[in-house]
């Protein structure tokens, strides 16, 4: 599993140059707006907006495709179940199973929204070094403890992954086949998971000691190292306007003009 | 008082006792004095209390009884003191920032130094350990030897006057170990080293303390303590190879 999110931060694009704080605010607003979308007519503009931002970011397509693979497993359950359970209008019958129109449309909405939101998230972290993103979050008011937790989680995913790999290798060397599932095999995999958890806990205690030894918690004040220019503000305005437009259009389509607050 | 006058102890440990909840009396009535500029090696079997003693001196663990004074000031549990630094046994426990530069800057930043001063210290510390070219690399992509050097740089950047090394040569190859020994030789700080690498202790330290079952068993010249067969064997140690009489003197062919 590829964990590095920021392998293309060296590229040159308007999104790479955008002040990380403004980028965080602008792209998060867009993600929030996408999560509000309920009307199917909004899907095409949503995909178009996402594709445009992705093109502007100049990130390679492979970057997105490789990273969408694993999170997509989470929506698989919805894709497999909803068409058969949600709604009344049967459009197709496969043996004893009926495929329903409402379920299909719900899947279309969920999958499109999921892919657009995830892609925007990838653009956010793919165009800014991870540490800079964390610093931008701090600058926007994220509590230090949460920022540190994020940072350490990201850092130690590698360590846990390496530990897991080493332990699996040693199990294989002693004749264990993890793909051959059996009650004993499952029990051993559970032990492996437990062992990883205990190791991570013990290591986190040592990491904390090491941080205390170098003065963790005594940092006098967080530095404000970002300098924004008018271009950053203009870009933020564009993204905020787009986000508001998405929410307003969705409300308009679904409930009519009377539902808008203005 | 932050004295470092000759003869005035850097560390004074008096009648120290410590127990973990599940392991009583890990340290039993330990008393130890370390003078400025001394390089003291702590040897002893696994679980004898070496790391526990270091964590007490660093203020990470609170003694069950007894007192520790470093540079004339009592060690208070949880206090941050930049005048002493500890390099942990596993460098992965210490290197947690996304880049080497950020990691080495972690301590100086917590000391509230200016950005210029932080940059200068990072460059200086990385130069001392000969790792300046690693500055922009992520720590988890480094070799074991490189990680060790970067972990040392992270502590050196705080410019501590007392340096504590816990198993500094563990998992190092010959070249990295030699680099470490050169670095330790060149240090002017007061140094405590816990190690199973007795040859390193013999080469670097002017004094050795043998600790077993939470007690100080012997304290003295490394050649006298580690050259004592009976003492070493009684406490699960082996006389270092270089102190053994050589059947085949160095420089002569085996034929």
């Amino acid at each position: 599993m590829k964990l590095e999110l920021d392998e293309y931060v060296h590229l040159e694009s308007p999104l790479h140059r955008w002040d990380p704080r403004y980028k965080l605010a602008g792209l998060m607003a867009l993600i929030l707006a996408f999560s509000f979308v309920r009307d199917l007519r909004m899907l095409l503009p949503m995909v178009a907006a996402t594709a445009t931002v992705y093109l502007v970011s100049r990130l390679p397509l492979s970057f997105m495709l490789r990273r969408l693979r694993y999170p997509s497993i989470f929506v698989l359950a919805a894709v497999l179940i909803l068409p058969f359970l949600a709604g009344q209008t049967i459009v197709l019958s496969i043996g004893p199973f009926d495929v329903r129109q409402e379920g299909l449309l719900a899947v279309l909405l969920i999958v499109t929204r999921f892919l657009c939101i995830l892609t925007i998230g990838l653009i956010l972290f793919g165009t800014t070094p991870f540490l800079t993103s964390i610093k931008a979050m701090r600058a926007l008011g994220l509590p230090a403890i949460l920022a540190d937790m994020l940072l350490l989680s990201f850092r130690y995913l590698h360590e846990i992954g390496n530990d897991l790999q080493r332990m699996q290798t040693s199990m294989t060397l002693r004749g264990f086949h993890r793909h051959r599932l059996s009650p004993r095999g499952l029990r051993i995999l559970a032990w492996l998971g437990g062992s990883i958890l205990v190791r991570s806990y013990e290591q986190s205690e040592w990491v904390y000691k090491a941080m205390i030894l170098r003065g963790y918690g005594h940092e006098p004040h967080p530095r404000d190292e970002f300098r924004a220019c008018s271009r950053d503000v203009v870009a933020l305005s564009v993204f905020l306007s787009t986000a508001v437009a998405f929410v307003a259009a969705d409300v308009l389509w679904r409930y009519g003009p009377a539902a808008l607050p203005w | 008082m932050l004295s470092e006058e000759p003869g005035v102890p850097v560390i004074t440990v008096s009648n120290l006792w410590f127990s973990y909840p599940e392991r009583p009396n890990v340290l039993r009535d330990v008393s130890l004095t370390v003078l400025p500029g001394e390089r003291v090696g702590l040897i002893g079997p696994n679980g004898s209390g070496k790391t526990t003693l270091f964590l007490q001196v660093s203020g990470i663990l609170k003694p069950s009884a007894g007192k520790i004074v470093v540079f004339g000031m009592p060690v208070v549990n949880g206090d941050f003191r930049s005048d002493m630094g500890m390099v942990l046994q596993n460098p992965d426990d210490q290197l947690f920032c996304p880049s080497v530069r950020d990691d080495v800057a972690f301590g100086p930043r917590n000391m509230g130094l200016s950005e210029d001063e932080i940059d200068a210290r990072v460059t200086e510390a990385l130069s001392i350990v000969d790792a300046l070219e690693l500055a922009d690399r992520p720590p988890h992509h480094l070799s074991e030897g490189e990680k060790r050097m970067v972990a040392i740089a992270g502590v050196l950047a705080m410019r501590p006057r007392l340096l504590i090394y816990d198993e500094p040569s563990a998992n190092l190859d010959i070249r990295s170990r030699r680099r470490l020994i050169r670095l330790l030789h060149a240090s002017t700080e007061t140094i405590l080293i816990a190690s199973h690498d007795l040859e390193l202790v013999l080469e670097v330290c002017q004094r050795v303390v043998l600790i077993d079952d939470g007690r100080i068993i012997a304290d003295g010249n490394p050649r006298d303590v580690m050259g004592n067969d009976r003492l070493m064997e009684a406490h699960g140690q082996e006389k270092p190879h270089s102190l053994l009489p050589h059947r085949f003197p160095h420089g002569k062919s085996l034929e």
Side-chain angles (χ1 to χ4, degrees):
Chain A
M1 187 173 167
K2 195 85 176 159
L3 291 169
E4 275 93 355
L5 284 171
D6 48 8
E7 65 178 312
Y8 290 108
V9 288
H10 58 275
L11 296 180
E12 267 295 312
S13 82
L15 277 155
H16 283 81
R17 287 191 295 271
W18 198 6
D19 183 295
R21 294 167 304 167
Y22 288 75
K23 179 163 39 179
L24 190 66
L27 294 182
M28 286 309 286
L30 204 57
I31 286 174
L32 209 63
F34 286 175
S35 71
F36 272 106
V37 168
R38 298 283 181 279
D39 195 289
L40 292 172
R41 284 166 289 192
M42 294 303 296
L43 295 187
L44 206 58
M46 196 162 78
V47 171
T50 306
T52 308
V53 179
Y54 200 83
L55 280 175
V56 172
S57 76
R58 293 192 187 144
L59 290 168
L61 194 62
S62 58
F63 170 79
M64 179 183 72
L65 295 178
R66 268 184 293 151
R67 280 155 187 85
L68 285 181
R69 222 171 358 178
Y70 291 101
S72 297
I73 294 169
F74 291 104
V75 285
L76 200 64
V79 173
L80 293 177
I81 295 169
L82 274 178
F84 300 101
L85 296 181
Q88 304 293 327
T89 322
I90 297 168
V91 290
L92 182 70
S93 289
I94 308 168
F97 303 107
D98 297 326
V99 180
R100 296 155 203 273
Q101 186 186 345
E102 293 85 348
L104 281 175
L105 294 176
V107 165
L108 182 68
L109 179 68
I110 290 170
V111 171
T112 311
R113 214 166 45 191
F114 173 81
L115 292 177
C116 288
I117 287 175
L118 211 64
T119 306
I120 297 291
L122 287 174
I123 295 168
L124 175 61
F125 291 107
T127 55
T128 321
F130 190 74
L131 181 66
T132 312
S133 298
I134 300 282
K135 285 176 182 168
M137 289 178 200
R138 286 283 317 265
L140 291 176
L142 183 78
I145 185 87
L146 288 181
D148 292 340
M149 281 167 68
L150 264 175
L151 188 67
L152 291 175
S153 307
F154 182 73
R155 163 72 177 88
Y156 282 95
L157 277 177
H158 291 279
E159 291 305 322
I160 294 169
N162 290 342
D163 263 3
L164 187 66
Q165 211 166 19
R166 276 196 294 269
M167 289 166 83
Q168 281 177 336
T169 306
S170 95
M171 286 163 76
T172 310
L173 285 170
R174 288 189 288 161
F176 179 74
H177 298 281
R178 67 192 159 106
H179 298 300
R180 214 178 288 159
L181 283 183
S182 65
R184 178 181 168 268
L186 287 173
R187 198 171 60 236
I188 288 173
L189 287 177
W191 286 343
L192 176 69
S195 169
I196 285 288
L197 279 178
V198 171
R199 279 183 191 214
S200 317
Y201 176 74
E202 281 174 356
Q203 189 173 28
S204 68
E205 286 203 319
W206 276 105
V207 170
Y208 186 63
K209 282 182 185 127
M211 290 170 74
I212 294 284
L213 281 169
R214 289 197 286 157
Y216 175 69
H218 289 79
E219 192 181 3
H221 45 79
R223 296 168 309 146
D224 189 8
E225 59 189 48
F226 302 110
R227 292 280 171 271
C229 62
S230 54
R231 204 175 45 208
D232 298 314
V233 181
V234 171
L236 178 64
S237 319
V238 170
F239 272 79
L240 288 181
S241 312
T242 311
V244 171
F246 264 97
V247 176
D250 192 69
V251 171
L252 198 64
W253 282 115
R254 281 195 288 155
Y255 307 109
L260 289 174
W262 56 85
Chain B
M1 186 181 79
L2 288 172
S3 59
E4 204 176 347
E5 298 151 23
V8 178
V10 169
I11 306 173
T12 312
V13 177
S14 319
N15 309 105
L16 191 71
W17 288 78
F18 181 77
S19 298
Y20 288 107
E22 73 285 2
R23 238 181 103 204
N25 300 333
V26 176
L27 293 177
R28 305 157 187 248
D29 200 21
V30 170
S31 294
L32 179 73
T33 302
V34 177
L35 297 177
E38 268 193 312
R39 290 200 288 259
V40 182
L42 238 74
I43 60 170
N46 285 337
S48 57
K50 302 185 295 291
T51 302
T52 304
L53 177 60
F54 281 176
L55 292 174
Q56 310 261 337
V57 173
S58 309
I60 291 290
L61 292 178
K62 193 178 176 186
S64 309
K67 197 176 170 191
I68 304 168
V69 176
V70 174
F71 292 119
M73 284 166 64
V75 172
V76 179
N77 179 239
D79 261 12
F80 168 49
R81 291 186 53 173
S82 59
D83 52 1
M84 56 176 160
M86 180 170 167
V87 181
L88 300 183
Q89 183 173 346
N90 181 358
D92 277 323
D93 292 339
Q94 206 173 306
L95 308 176
F96 55 88
C97 291
S99 75
V100 165
R101 188 185 301 281
D102 288 311
D103 212 289
V104 178
F106 179 75
R109 191 153 285 143
N110 289 328
M111 291 164 69
L113 302 176
S114 70
E115 282 308 303
D116 289 344
E117 178 65 16
I118 291 170
D119 286 345
R121 285 193 180 207
V122 169
T123 307
E124 178 193 78
L126 284 173
S127 305
I128 291 173
V129 300
D130 199 15
L132 202 52
E133 75 284 0
L134 305 175
D136 296 315
R137 300 225 346 236
H140 51 277
H141 286 172
L142 304 180
S143 71
E144 202 64 30
E146 289 170 336
K147 280 182 186 174
R148 176 80 57 189
M149 288 303 161
V150 171
I152 293 173
V155 173
L156 290 181
M158 300 194 301
R159 290 192 190 149
R161 292 177 294 151
L162 167 63
L163 271 161
I164 301 174
Y165 291 92
D166 193 5
E167 296 290 352
S169 61
N171 296 327
L172 292 189
D173 63 16
I174 303 292
R175 187 183 293 166
S176 306
R177 180 178 171 277
R178 186 47 51 192
R179 223 167 117 192
L180 173 76
I181 290 174
R182 273 200 296 269
L183 175 77
L184 292 171
H185 264 304
S187 298
T188 52
E189 299 90 354
T190 306
I191 293 178
L192 286 184
I193 304 171
S195 185
H196 293 299
D197 184 348
L198 301 185
E199 293 290 349
L200 176 140
V201 172
L202 195 63
E203 205 172 325
V204 171
C205 300
Q206 307 118 336
R207 179 182 159 197
V208 73
V209 174
L210 171 62
I211 187 165
D212 191 10
D213 200 20
R215 286 195 180 90
I216 291 183
I217 306 297
D219 182 348
N221 183 297
R223 286 184 173 272
D224 296 338
V225 174
M226 293 196 278
N228 185 333
D229 273 324
R230 199 181 293 171
L231 177 74
M232 293 294 274
E233 274 175 32
H235 296 283
Q237 304 294 293
E238 276 181 351
K239 197 169 171 177
H241 173 80
S242 50
L243 292 183
L244 292 172
H246 287 42
R247 282 173 61 203
F248 304 109
H250 293 170
K252 288 199 173 175
S253 164
L254 291 180
E255 287 171 20

